[in-house]
Amino acid sequence: MLRSCLRRPYTIQHAITPPTRIGLRVRNASTNKPPSTEPTPRKLLRYTLKPWAAPPLLARYPLAHQTVQFLIYGLAGCLAFHIFFEYFYVLEGAYGISMLPTIASSGDCLLISKYYRRGRQLGVGDVVSYKHPIKAGEYAVKRILGMPGDFVVAETPGKGVGRMIQVPEGHCWVVGDNLTWSRDSRMFGPLPLALVTGKVLAKCSPLWPTRLEHELKPAVIEEGDVD
Amino acid sequence: MSTAPNVIRRALNGAYTLTTLTLFVSGTAIFLIDNVAETTRIIGESMTPAISPDYNTTGASDGLLFNKWAPSLRNLNRGDIVLFHSPNDPEKVAVKRVIATEGDSIILDARRRPTRQRDGAELPETRAWDSMMGRVVMVPEGHIWVEGDNWRNSGDSNRYGPISKSLVQGKAVAVVWPPKRFGTRPWEGFRSRTKVTPGEIPRDGEGAGLINAIRNG
């Protein structure tokens, strides 16, 4: 009964042409009979009592049918995009100077793979995006320096006594590439791996995409650095 | 009347309808469970007697409905039951009560000293807890202090310290299983022995230097 109510419309005068499915024609096109007039209030009453006898509901109001179809396709599209961005890949813009020179201060889009969320198959040197532990609702991008069990220097090398800390289980130590201007685990401590949302695979500078390198390299000290 | 091509046509149409319907329903279900609400069974006795009161005798666990709508998770009150990713194991999810929010000062409950489960031996966490016991501990910005109601057997902030609010996934709304307790909120009215002095994170003034430096990224 529901199926007969929602069946796609037969061809009536000035109505839309039903789209074909998998290259096939609409079935049962010959068996449907168009009504002779618009539904009158008496006819509507009769169909209220016997809904299976009515012509398909949405066929009587082609504009409503068109709208409902559009909304359903729109909803399906939104759901598909949401699930893809949440569980597969997403492109995000990044702003800030803490990852120079790897990621520019603005204008770069990052391709983030959600396969690596919550620390799955991550290692030292990976550039990851994570939910900020202090500022709720914000995200940040830094490089992993230590996985659970590793020993890391908890301060900036060259400043302070060089105190080392062992990264507790379930946490990681993240540091930005631009050490002088980065607020990272040196300030807020080890980051729980549950906050990691994904690994940054590549960045799209405005002109061309570049793959990011996920390995540690010796630091480059620029002349004229502000201390 | 139904010839062979007709049968194939109808079968394909039926398969198409079934596939799209399955995809639609599962997509909506995934979206709702991730972002709107989720029900889950509470395993373990860390929240007795309010939740899963018979877990250690019969193994019966309560089912709770959690609100996962992000805007309503921004204000967490003391006494809320929250669902969060465990800081020590990213794949595990834990349910505990919020005792203190950011800026509050707490004095630890002496009964909740963390020791090894089977024989009461000392752990590294015991030393950290002992250094906080007797002093007033302030919950840092963006963090919350969570504890399980059952002080005898609960792995909570007494073991791993205050947790970040970003770890919180949901806030409990009501019990949905067993049916005779459906719709109740048996966790309300709990009086915690951990003393909490409400407070706020200083936004201006001397204490605000480092905090503002972290906030303004």
Side-chain angles (χ1 to χ4, degrees):
Chain A
M1 187 180 87
L2 187 67
R3 281 181 56 133
S4 65
C5 287
L6 293 179
R7 197 182 301 139
R8 275 200 267 103
Y10 41 77
T11 319
I12 60 178
Q13 218 174 10
H14 305 311
I16 29 142
T17 322
T20 54
R21 266 205 297 229
I22 325 178
L24 304 167
R25 303 267 170 185
V26 174
R27 60 192 168 105
N28 301 328
S30 56
T31 58
N32 287 343
K33 286 194 281 283
S36 46
T37 53
E38 287 294 307
T40 62
R42 227 185 60 180
K43 266 192 189 160
L44 280 176
L45 178 63
R46 177 166 37 156
Y47 294 146
T48 318
L49 299 175
K50 284 205 311 188
W52 58 89
L57 174 78
L58 295 172
R60 286 186 255 139
Y61 307 99
L63 182 62
H65 179 268
Q66 200 59 326
T67 318
V68 167
Q69 210 172 34
F70 177 74
L71 286 177
I72 291 181
Y73 282 131
L75 184 69
C78 286
L79 271 179
F81 272 117
H82 171 83
I83 290 181
F84 186 75
F85 292 154
E86 187 77 24
Y87 293 98
F88 294 91
Y89 297 95
V90 72
L91 220 55
E92 293 272 359
Y95 305 95
I97 55 170
S98 61
M99 283 296 286
L100 287 173
T102 317
I103 299 172
S105 56
S106 74
D108 270 358
C109 267
L110 304 177
L111 177 70
I112 301 174
S113 164
K114 297 290 179 88
Y115 175 81
Y116 300 91
R117 61 184 183 276
R118 293 200 298 267
R120 183 155 58 157
Q121 292 191 15
L122 282 178
V124 169
D126 288 345
V127 178
V128 293
S129 78
Y130 58 91
K131 294 187 199 165
H132 205 285
I134 312 260
K135 299 185 268 181
E138 294 199 11
Y139 295 77
V141 170
K142 297 280 182 290
R143 196 181 290 267
I144 291 183
L145 235 58
M147 290 300 280
D150 294 349
F151 291 89
V152 293
V153 173
E155 304 153 355
T156 314
K159 303 190 174 69
V161 300
R163 176 179 68 107
M164 293 196 85
I165 197 174
Q166 185 177 27
V167 180
E169 66 167 313
H171 292 68
C172 60
W173 192 267
V174 288
V175 169
D177 285 354
N178 190 0
L179 278 175
T180 350
W181 297 104
S182 163
R183 275 154 269 271
D184 42 44
S185 282
R186 293 170 294 160
M187 284 91 190
F188 55 69
L191 176 79
L193 277 172
L195 290 179
V196 170
T197 50
K199 179 162 139 179
V200 180
L201 297 182
K203 69 170 185 175
C204 311
S205 321
L207 289 180
W208 56 84
T210 335
R211 189 170 297 187
L212 253 66
E213 290 172 356
H214 296 287
E215 55 184 16
L216 297 183
K217 288 192 185 147
V220 170
I221 301 173
E222 306 238 327
E223 297 300 276
D225 242 358
V226 178
D227 249 5
Chain B
M1 167 169 159
S2 58
T3 57
N6 233 349
V7 169
I8 299 173
R9 196 177 300 154
R10 281 164 61 180
L12 278 175
N13 270 338
Y16 171 82
T17 317
L18 192 67
T19 322
T20 46
L21 203 64
T22 316
L23 286 176
F24 219 131
V25 168
S26 48
T28 319
I30 291 175
F31 176 79
L32 289 178
I33 289 177
D34 279 347
N35 296 25
V36 178
E38 182 184 356
T39 57
T40 175
R41 303 292 283 257
I42 313 296
I43 298 174
E45 45 173 5
S46 61
M47 289 301 294
T48 49
I51 300 174
S52 295
D54 299 317
Y55 187 79
N56 53 345
T57 50
T58 60
S61 50
D62 285 0
L64 247 63
L65 176 72
F66 286 95
N67 172 15
K68 296 178 92 163
W69 188 240
S72 51
L73 292 184
R74 284 203 203 113
N75 31 318
L76 293 175
N77 302 314
R78 298 174 202 99
D80 283 345
I81 306 287
V82 289
L83 176 87
F84 56 93
H85 284 292
S86 176
N88 283 349
D89 187 351
E91 297 303 322
K92 282 220 180 76
V93 169
V95 172
K96 297 282 178 288
R97 184 187 295 269
V98 174
I99 300 291
T101 52
E102 65 180 8
D104 294 348
S105 309
I106 63 173
I107 297 180
L108 298 178
D109 180 4
R111 304 175 306 176
R112 292 178 180 264
R113 184 165 181 263
T115 48
R116 193 159 57 187
Q117 204 51 44
R118 59 171 191 267
D119 54 3
E122 295 220 341
L123 296 167
E125 292 94 327
T126 320
R127 247 187 356 153
W129 192 92
D130 284 341
S131 71
M132 288 198 293
M133 177 63 198
R135 299 195 292 119
V136 173
V137 176
M138 184 164 110
V139 178
E141 181 181 6
H143 286 61
I144 51 175
W145 186 271
V146 291
E147 277 178 3
D149 288 355
N150 185 8
W151 59 267
R152 290 181 180 88
N153 186 0
S154 168
D156 48 29
S157 281
N158 288 295
R159 219 168 267 269
Y160 41 70
I163 63 166
S164 164
K165 244 167 63 155
S166 310
L167 281 171
V168 171
Q169 297 290 112
K171 201 157 65 160
V173 171
V175 170
V176 295
W177 186 267
K180 68 170 182 276
R181 265 185 289 149
F182 184 90
T184 59
R185 295 164 61 94
W187 58 82
E188 285 182 336
F190 178 77
R191 302 236 309 270
S192 162
R193 291 241 203 126
T194 310
K195 296 182 185 26
V196 177
T197 312
E200 286 197 1
I201 297 283
R203 304 261 179 244
D204 304 302
E206 303 123 37
L210 177 63
I211 288 163
N212 280 341
I214 295 179
R215 294 191 100 244
N216 300 331

